[in-house]
Amino acid sequence: MSSINNSTIVAKFGGTSVANFEAMSRCAQIILNNPDIRLVVVSASAGVTNLLVKLGNEVLSSNEKESVLQQIRNIQNSILNDLGRPVKAQDVISQLIEQLAEIALHPLLITSTKLKDELLSFGERMSSVLFAEVINKVSGQASAVAFDGRQVLKTDSSFSKAEPQLEPTRKQASSLLKPLLKTKVVITQGFIGQDNFGNTTTLGRGGSDYSAALFAEAVDAFALQIWTDVTGIYTTDPRITDKARPIKEISFDEAAEMATFGAKILHPATLIPAIRSGVKVFVGSSLEPEAGGTWISKEVDFRPAYRAVALRNEQTLLTVKSPEMLHATGFLARVFAILAKHKLSVDLITTSEISVALTIDNPANTPIAGLVAACVKDLNSFCDVHVESDLALIAVVGNHVEHNDGKQGGAGRIFASLEDDQLRLICHGASEHNVCFLVKQDNAKDIVRQIHDDLFAV
């Protein structure tokens, strides 16, 4: 077995990659083909987290809860059956499902974020046990071991959106993980952690990639591999246009812009630990590992003016207007104090002498909708507020300031593609890595296709 050194790789596998025995077996082969992969972070098997969310968020009868629990059991039992029902794994899974059922029936579950986090942890806890068994079956030896990542990933007590505590996490990784990695491939869980009181916490939906990056940072890994169901990052979403091209390499700065502005391949927080520690990140498909993927790193050989076009739907535009802004101080501070009070995050902002326009992400049909309404009520106490919804944010990501394509300046060529489209907001100049604008959501995909064709046509 290899020792911990600067070639250590942390690999993360998402829900579709560990959906069943067949998928797990493919991923096991990826690990066994690369002896530098020492730590593996897994999501819950596909479908399990959605079932757990249903248990935690919906008012269900006892029979309905039992039906959901049975669906979860079926997913685990299918994998156990294909494994030959090894006694140890079978016992562990049975115990976990018993604990899960007990929490699912707790009378305070619907209102307790603490209990919900405990509930949601079971998907990853079960998949990590089963995946370790699959690796051992495929390899023919006891080369992998399941490890409770909550022993290492320490967080605060902000249930459902916990913040990692970096120094305690690094300390625990040094004492518990690093020695184990010298002799075993360690399978642990994404998405979950533990606070100072021993309570289970979660980093929020999509937090498995983030967890993997935190583990990579904590064990001083050379690289983080994120295995998903697509062959890397593309110039735009391939579901929007079949002309989308795979990107072989991309800088941290560009990837961060893409993750922030809608590219769903990466959780936006994933790159923070990687940037901090210099860990290179690879994104590839567990279905086609031989197809290659995308490397993300601080330094890249090529920095084009245009790297990709990202789309994020369900945007709300708030336009705040008041004559008090004219030659006045403190108005914007007052606006943003109200936004902070309601914990609303602003993506884009433009200002004029007497108004400010800003975007808020994904309020429709979520708890954010209520926060927006409350925020507007507070803002109306001292200014006029206009709310527009059904908008989409399009971001052209690249290196616009540093490059000129020989025809027009970076932004000029982009806007030439949009001369026939109605734009609600334009944000340019705040970052050298993106140009952003708002459009009607109904037209967004057509506009993305148009921009992509104009910028990336051969």
Side-chain angles (χ1 to χ4, degrees), residues 7 16 36-37 53 73 101 113 115 148 215 227 238-239 247 299 301 303 321 360 383 401 450 458:
S7 67
T16 55
D36 287 328
I37 297 177
V53 168
R73 286 191 197 97
T113 55
L115 285 173
D148 190 342
F215 278 117
W227 294 97
R239 293 169 299 183
I247 300 171
E299 299 298 331
D301 294 332
R303 288 180 176 267
K321 183 177 181 180
I360 297 169
C383 57
V401 173
Q450 178 66 46
V458 177

Side-chain angles (χ1 to χ4, degrees), residues 116-408:
K116 286 181 183 179
D117 274 11
E118 181 72 24
L119 179 89
L120 291 173
S121 73
F122 282 93
E124 279 73 12
R125 289 158 68 185
M126 290 187 288
S127 66
S128 59
V129 170
L130 294 171
F131 192 38
E133 288 291 334
V134 172
I135 293 172
N136 292 337
K137 183 178 179 69
V138 173
S139 68
Q141 58 180 314
S143 57
V145 61
F147 177 86
D148 190 342
R150 294 173 297 177
Q151 297 178 67
V152 169
L153 188 48
K154 300 302 176 183
T155 74
D156 65 10
S157 299
S158 300
F159 299 107
S160 81
K161 51 182 178 181
E163 287 292 327
Q165 297 180 337
L166 301 184
E167 283 309 309
T169 296
R170 177 175 285 278
K171 182 178 179 181
Q172 290 295 98
S174 181
S175 62
L176 298 178
L177 262 185
K178 285 187 175 182
L180 190 57
L181 295 177
K182 293 177 181 179
T183 58
K184 296 287 185 181
V185 175
V186 176
I187 316 300
T188 194
Q189 308 82 30
F191 175 62
I192 66 175
Q194 189 180 72
D195 69 8
N196 293 333
F197 305 100
N199 299 308
T200 298
T201 58
T202 68
L203 305 185
R205 289 299 292 268
S208 289
D209 287 355
Y210 185 29
S211 299
L214 290 165
F215 278 117
E217 179 182 34
V219 301
D220 301 308
F222 165 72
L224 166 64
Q225 296 179 349
I226 296 177
W227 294 97
T228 179
D229 54 2
V230 292
T231 53
I233 299 172
Y234 280 69
T235 49
T236 196
D237 188 337
R239 293 169 299 183
I240 295 177
T241 173
D242 57 8
K243 296 179 182 179
R245 304 174 188 170
I247 300 171
K248 289 185 177 180
E249 65 168 6
I250 188 171
S251 70
F252 279 138
D253 290 337
E254 294 167 307
E257 298 281 6
M258 288 187 68
T260 299
F261 290 115
K264 298 192 178 189
I265 249 187
L266 282 176
H267 187 278
T270 302
L271 294 174
I272 297 172
I275 293 169
R276 231 175 9 228
S277 57
V279 174
K280 297 176 68 175
V281 179
F282 173 82
V283 180
S285 169
S286 62
L287 295 169
E288 303 176 80
E290 71 286 347
T294 303
W295 278 102
I296 308 168
S297 55
K298 183 177 181 181
E299 299 298 331
V300 293
D301 294 332
F302 179 52
R303 288 180 176 267
Y306 315 110
R307 184 76 82 177
V309 184
L311 169 65
R312 190 161 71 186
N313 289 312
E314 297 183 34
Q315 301 292 295
T316 288
L317 177 65
L318 299 184
T319 303
V320 180
K321 183 177 181 180
S322 173
E324 292 181 22
M325 281 186 69
L326 190 62
H327 305 303
T329 60
F331 181 85
L332 285 178
R334 194 173 175 186
V335 169
F336 279 94
I338 289 174
L339 291 166
K341 170 187 170 184
H342 294 282
K343 297 183 179 180
L344 290 172
S345 177
V346 173
D347 292 315
L348 304 182
I349 179 170
T350 61
T351 63
S352 71
E353 281 294 335
I354 62 169
S355 66
V356 55
L358 47 90
T359 64
I360 297 169
D361 182 46
N362 197 30
N365 301 317
T366 73
I368 297 177
L371 294 175
V372 171
C375 175
V376 169
K377 182 178 180 180
D378 285 352
L379 290 170
N380 272 327
S381 66
F382 65 96
C383 57
D384 295 326
V385 184
H386 181 60
V387 181
E388 294 177 62
S389 56
D390 299 322
L391 298 170
L393 186 158
I394 296 174
V396 180
V397 176
N399 302 275
H400 312 296
V401 173
E402 297 175 358
H403 292 262
N404 188 301
D405 59 19
K407 300 175 185 177
Q408 292 176 292

Side-chain angles (χ1 to χ4, degrees), residues 306 396 408-421 423 425-428 435-437 451 454-455:
Y306 315 110
V396 180
Q408 292 176 292
R413 188 174 173 190
I414 295 165
F415 290 120
S417 300
L418 298 168
E419 57 186 1
D420 296 327
D421 297 301
L423 306 184
L425 181 149
I426 299 169
C427 191
H428 175 48
V435 173
C436 299
F437 40 89
I451 296 172
D454 288 349
L455 298 185

